[in-house]
Amino acid sequence: MDEYFERRKRMVERLKDELKISEKVAKAMLEVPRHLFVPPHMRREAYNDYPLPIGYGQTISAPHMVAIMCDLLDLKEGERVLEVGTGSGYHAAVVSRIVGEEGLVVTVERIPELAETAKKIYESLCYDNIKVVVGDGSVGYEELAPYDKIYVTASAPKIPVKLLAQLKNGGRMVIPVGDFVQHLYVVDKDEYGRVKKRSWGAVRFVPLIGEEGFED
């Protein structure tokens, strides 16, 4: 049991106590070494519950937000999931542990350097069910659509039409929407393709840049 495992264990216990996160999310977050996904000089802060800068104007989300989004998605083993905004790579790593080896996480990142760093970490951890794509995540990744679940780690001006089109009937999307005032939305598509959305609450994310996002 190294120092980082003990810190990670305490982080997960806090999230279980304070947020009542599900056992499957808690188990995944206990497994994933978050300290490997932050800059080396910040590793001692990796298990504190706040965002950290990762360069290029981006951040790694606070652990509580990763946990909340994973639980809102209601992830299941074997699902195909699209992540928009790889960032540090941590969030997709947690999702990959929940969907398991029969599942797949496709994560799209517009900044090549971040995508390459995340890919190397996944390879070192043998997380083989994650596919990293460099591109405009606001339009999704049609090659492997449709997806059971989609989540976005940056705030969009509105719910992107192209992402909705890549969501399966019966699927769910979790996405922050807004500029100065942002809300996290849970978007469900029923078996007939009808869409319903509800707001979980106020949040703060970096802006989604791209064709269906904000201008760079």
Side-chain angles (χ1 to χ4, degrees), residues 127-144:
Y127 288 3
D128 299 326
N129 61 339
I130 306 176
K131 178 178 177 61
V132 181
V133 178
V134 176
D136 179 1
S138 76
V139 298
Y141 188 68
E142 195 169 6
E143 287 86 342
L144 290 173

Side-chain angles (χ1 to χ4, degrees), residues 54 58-59 80-93 95 104-119 122 129-145 147 149-155 160 162-163 166 206-212:
I54 57 172
Q58 306 300 301
T59 60
R80 178 170 295 188
V81 181
L82 174 67
E83 176 188 63
V84 176
T86 311
S88 70
Y90 174 71
H91 200 150
V95 172
L104 176 67
V105 181
V106 179
T107 178
V108 185
E109 173 57 54
R110 69 183 180 89
I111 301 171
E113 291 85 355
L114 291 179
E116 185 60 29
T117 298
K119 187 176 181 181
Y122 299 148
N129 61 339
I130 306 176
K131 178 178 177 61
V132 181
V133 178
V134 176
D136 179 1
S138 76
V139 298
Y141 188 68
E142 195 169 6
E143 287 86 342
L144 290 173
Y147 300 95
K149 306 288 169 60
I150 297 174
Y151 66 100
V152 183
T153 65
S155 188
K162 290 187 178 180
L163 293 185
Q166 293 172 35
V206 297
L208 177 66
I209 305 299
E211 181 181 322
E212 293 216 37

